[in-house]
Amino acid sequence: MVHKDSSRTARQRPRFLRLLLASGLAASALVAVPQQPVQAADDDGKKVLTVAVSQSVDSLSPFLAQRLVSTTVHRLAYEYLTNYDVKDGSTIPGLATEWKSSPDKLTWTYTIRKDSKWSDGKQATAEDAAWTFNKMMTDENAATANGSFTSNFKTVTAPDPETLVIALKKPQATMTALDVPIVPRHVWEKVGDFSKFNNDKQFPIVGNGPFVVTDFKVDQFVKLKPNKDFWRGAPKFDELVLKYYKDGDAAVAALQKGEVSFVQGLTPAQASALKSAKNIKVNDAPGRRFFALATNPGAKSKDGKAFGSGHKALLDPNVRKALFQATDRKTIVDKVFQGHAVEGEGYIPPRFGSYFWKPAATQKMGYDPAKAASLLDQAGYKKNSSGKRVGKDGKALDLRILCHATDPNDKAIGKYLQEWWGELGIGLKVDCLDNVSDPWLKGDYDLAFDGWSVNPDPDFVLSIHTCAALPATPKDTGATDNFICDKQFDQLYAQQAVEYDAAKRADLVKQMQSRLYDTGYMNVLAYPNAVEAYRTDQIKSITTMPEAAGNLWGQDGYWSWWSAEPAAGDGGSDSGSSTGVVIGIGAAVVLVAALGVFVAMRRRSTAEDRE
């Protein structure tokens, strides 16, 4: 996610103001704040690691959650069968210590570790994993978030507490990358309707990961404590708090004051200001996300019924490609992201080298307004005497784009698109909403700013564009990102899903990206860097992923928060629950100008930051 990062994601203004503000040159100012005492610990000296997040939790149920903040919580609270090596993302043991396949690779046997316990003291066994997968196989509501992983499972059994056997209908390339949280059967078998159970009423929540969820308040916080019995070793902080900030400026100010330990999704102006701040380290590394412009290709369900209010013009590939070629990705990277990103091309970010794809010179759709105009002419949308593009029915070509209200990138790029597309004669309304999920799921949009965090194995982010991901009926919620259903893409997806040869599978994944590119359904604008910061007087050391030059927030695992070590002599950030030890710091607060450069890279609600 996404799903929409789903993690799924952003844009902007009038001409000279837009150029000034989107580039961030006039977006912020440093205001000195007098030295003041800052609460750093609870009365009992508890060391608290507080992480500012810009996204609200969609669900604490692993069967429903798709946003990155939610899946991050689940990586902390539950073990998966396997994990990803912090050094290079390769597969390493998780709940399973080893695994092997039958010669025909249709049966996979996992050895479940003996030293994993649920936080209520019961042993975690193969039966818990078998129950989790079987529930997803037999209850479509339980398959909402991760059903693509189990749709090919034939049977899942646990012949003994330490052995899990999965029989497949056909080969499946993701068997060492099943990103599914394993839940305790003795707790979850009591759940009735999985479509409504959000797992947010009884605390602590029983899990077997490095942390235990102890409290949650909607749009406020998630609190976790270390699992002292975690087999890999307990985390070093006494408490981890994910604290929600709708306003990115407020999160940065809280970091400056020592009220939080870590902030992610910094704007270029914020990052620049924080680099000179005392006791703060800025991490700016290649990310695992893509940032895209998605089109509504005509929302429909598996039963063939169309719904939503997507503009019919976008059913024409020439119109989609015209929009593609009327979008200057280089300007977006230079002016909006100010270099803290790489120009987008394929669907998988360059961080995942074996799957990264870029179009050939003859295939590439670069910024070419003249070509865009020609494509619109071919599609039957010609300029009238007022310079507006009109269809054969005489109606003006006016489009809408869904925008996250708190995302400065959405707003900034939206302003650019209004100018670029306006010059072609296309009208564009930028709908910036706090909740983009509802219109997105209903198909009530023409275009949307979209983004996902990609896992080392790309199967999931590819699966959300298959016909199988569509909702069963217009009233249902599917796993689809943008209602794409393309037979050629589906054929390639089916081929890569059963291909165990790494090189051959990578080639198929690249062909899928090529198909998405050629259809014009997804225009990947940029691969944003992970731009984040933490207080060095609260966090002595912390592990990025990959270790050499990677991100801290939204990792493919739990390495950052599990590894974080408190700074000597400091109690960590103030959790806001009590007074305690105080420290004085000289702070500078980043103030963002009235046009609002807030926290960046929030994914859209339904898929936003899934993983």
Side-chain angles (χ1 to χ4, degrees):
M1 177 136 66
V2 28
H3 44 276
K4 298 126 180 158
D5 126 352
S6 207
S7 338
R8 324 214 180 73
T9 30
R11 325 347 115 156
Q12 221 136 343
R13 262 138 217 140
R15 181 142 189 154
F16 84 89
L17 272 180
R18 188 217 62 210
L19 293 173
L20 190 62
L21 292 165
S23 67
L25 293 178
S28 70
L30 283 178
V31 178
V33 176
Q35 287 199 347
Q36 54 185 307
V38 176
Q39 295 175 341
D42 289 341
D43 287 331
D44 59 0
K46 182 168 64 176
K47 296 180 184 297
V48 181
L49 173 56
T50 303
V51 175
V53 298
S54 60
Q55 187 183 59
S56 57
V57 171
D58 54 344
S59 177
L60 286 180
S61 165
F63 298 97
L64 300 177
Q66 294 180 306
R67 296 184 191 173
L68 181 60
V69 66
S70 310
T71 57
T72 293
V73 170
H74 294 142
R75 282 201 175 275
L76 298 173
Y78 302 97
E79 276 281 44
Y80 297 21
L81 286 182
T82 59
N83 206 331
Y84 298 106
D85 193 305
V86 71
K87 295 182 178 64
D88 58 11
S90 58
T91 301
I92 60 173
L95 183 59
T97 59
E98 57 183 358
W99 45 89
K100 60 182 178 181
S101 68
S102 59
D104 63 4
K105 296 192 175 180
L106 291 177
T107 302
W108 287 73
T109 302
Y110 301 81
T111 300
I112 303 302
R113 64 176 58 257
K114 301 176 183 179
D115 55 352
S116 179
K117 287 186 177 182
W118 298 110
S119 53
D120 62 3
K122 296 183 182 296
Q123 182 70 31
T125 70
E127 180 57 36
D128 294 303
W131 186 89
T132 300
F133 291 131
N134 276 300
K135 188 64 182 177
M136 294 170 63
M137 294 161 60
T138 57
D139 185 337
E140 65 178 4
N141 293 320
T144 300
N146 298 302
S148 64
F149 291 113
T150 59
S151 60
N152 181 47
F153 288 8
K154 185 177 181 181
T155 61
V156 183
T157 57
D160 62 65
E162 296 166 26
T163 306
L164 177 73
V165 180
I166 301 177
L168 304 173
K169 300 171 187 174
K170 55 188 177 183
Q172 182 168 325
T174 61
M175 295 308 289
T176 60
L178 297 172
D179 292 318
V180 177
I182 304 302
V183 303
R185 174 177 182 169
H186 65 280
V187 174
W188 283 84
E189 64 184 355
K190 300 171 186 175
V191 175
D193 188 345
F194 272 67
S195 69
K196 298 178 180 178
F197 183 70
N198 281 312
N199 199 31
D200 57 1
K201 297 297 186 290
Q202 285 189 309
F203 299 95
I205 294 175
V206 178
N208 63 339
F211 289 89
V212 177
V213 180
T214 59
D215 199 4
F216 166 66
K217 291 288 186 296
V218 176
D219 288 346
Q220 293 184 46
F221 61 78
V222 181
K223 292 185 178 181
L224 307 96
K225 69 178 182 181
N227 179 358
K228 300 297 184 183
D229 296 321
F230 184 53
W231 67 271
R232 203 185 287 273
K236 299 175 180 65
F237 274 87
D238 299 314
E239 185 175 48
L240 172 63
V241 179
L242 305 185
K243 188 173 181 180
Y244 175 68
Y245 285 87
K246 182 179 179 179
D247 185 330
D249 300 337
V252 170
L255 181 75
Q256 290 278 34
K257 297 174 186 176
E259 295 172 352
V260 301
S261 313
F262 173 90
V263 173
Q264 51 87 23
L266 298 174
T267 64
Q270 290 169 342
S272 178
L274 289 175
K275 282 181 180 178
S276 60
K278 184 180 180 182
N279 296 326
I280 290 178
K281 178 177 175 59
V282 174
N283 183 47
D284 186 351
R288 51 184 283 240
R289 289 179 56 75
F290 65 79
F291 183 94
L293 183 62
T295 60
N296 179 349
K300 60 184 176 182
S301 49
K302 288 179 185 175
D303 61 7
K305 294 180 180 178
F307 59 94
S309 58
H311 201 296
K312 296 294 189 289
L314 295 175
L315 299 177
D316 189 330
N318 277 337
V319 174
R320 298 195 298 268
K321 291 177 183 178
L323 298 180
F324 211 128
Q325 297 205 265
T327 303
D328 188 351
R329 294 188 294 280
K330 185 177 186 304
T331 292
I332 289 170
V333 168
D334 292 345
K335 300 297 185 181
V336 178
F337 292 101
Q338 295 181 47
H340 297 273
V342 176
E343 186 177 335
E345 293 181 294
Y347 190 67
I348 307 298
R351 170 164 159 175
F352 305 100
S354 61
Y355 295 114
F356 177 61
W357 170 88
K358 59 170 60 179
T362 54
Q363 181 184 16
K364 186 169 183 175
M365 290 184 276
Y367 181 53
D368 189 340
K371 177 64 175 176
S374 175
L375 287 169
L376 289 171
D377 287 340
Q378 292 176 43
Y381 292 92
K382 298 185 178 181
K383 282 188 175 182
N384 62 15
S385 57
S386 301
K388 289 282 294 181
R389 292 277 171 182
V390 295
K392 295 176 181 177
D393 57 4
K395 292 183 179 179
L397 182 55
D398 292 323
L399 303 173
R400 305 160 297 170
I401 187 166
L402 277 178
C403 153
H404 298 83
T406 57
D407 193 328
N409 297 314
D410 282 19
K411 296 174 182 177
I413 298 172
K415 288 295 183 181
Y416 275 112
L417 295 180
Q418 286 178 322
E419 179 181 328
W420 294 330
W421 297 358
E423 291 172 354
L424 282 176
I426 298 172
L428 180 65
K429 179 183 178 184
V430 182
D431 288 326
C432 292
L433 308 173
D434 286 333
N435 174 20
V436 299
S437 177
D438 290 344
W440 204 310
L441 291 173
K442 293 176 182 177
D444 289 332
Y445 68 100
D446 301 327
L447 302 113
F449 292 114
D450 198 0
W452 283 83
S453 287
V454 179
N455 294 329
D457 188 293
D459 182 84
F460 178 83
V461 292
L462 297 172
S463 74
I464 59 179
H465 295 311
T466 61
C467 300
L470 295 174
T473 73
K475 294 182 179 179
D476 295 309
T477 299
T480 186
D481 185 21
N482 282 288
F483 305 101
I484 294 172
C485 180
D486 177 75
K487 289 184 178 179
Q488 186 173 327
F489 183 88
D490 272 22
Q491 290 170 356
L492 291 167
Y493 177 79
Q495 287 178 259
Q496 69 82 32
V498 301
E499 182 56 70
Y500 288 108
D501 183 284
K504 292 180 180 178
R505 185 176 179 225
D507 181 65
L508 289 165
V509 169
K510 290 175 181 178
Q511 290 182 50
M512 294 175 72
Q513 295 177 75
S514 178
R515 178 61 181 171
L516 272 183
Y517 185 91
D518 287 343
T519 58
Y521 288 132
M522 296 288 292
N523 181 355
V524 177
L525 303 177
Y527 310 113
N529 286 4
V531 187
E532 48 201 10
Y534 65 91
R535 292 199 66 93
T536 56
D537 55 355
Q538 294 181 12
I539 301 174
K540 177 181 178 182
S541 64
I542 190 168
T543 303
T544 61
M545 182 180 189
E547 280 184 322
N551 55 293
L552 292 167
W553 172 251
Q555 293 183 353
D556 303 296
Y558 40 66
W559 309 114
S560 53
W561 315 124
W562 171 76
S563 71
E565 184 177 344
D570 184 89
S573 58
D574 170 33
S575 65
S577 58
S578 67
T579 58
V581 179
V582 295
I583 57 174
I585 65 169
V589 178
V590 177
L591 296 181
V592 178
L595 289 175
V597 180
F598 304 121
V599 70
M601 299 325 299
R602 179 182 171 192
R603 287 195 198 192
R604 90 158 156 111
S605 347
T606 51
E608 156 111 1
D609 245 292
R610 145 156 195 111
E611 281 307 326

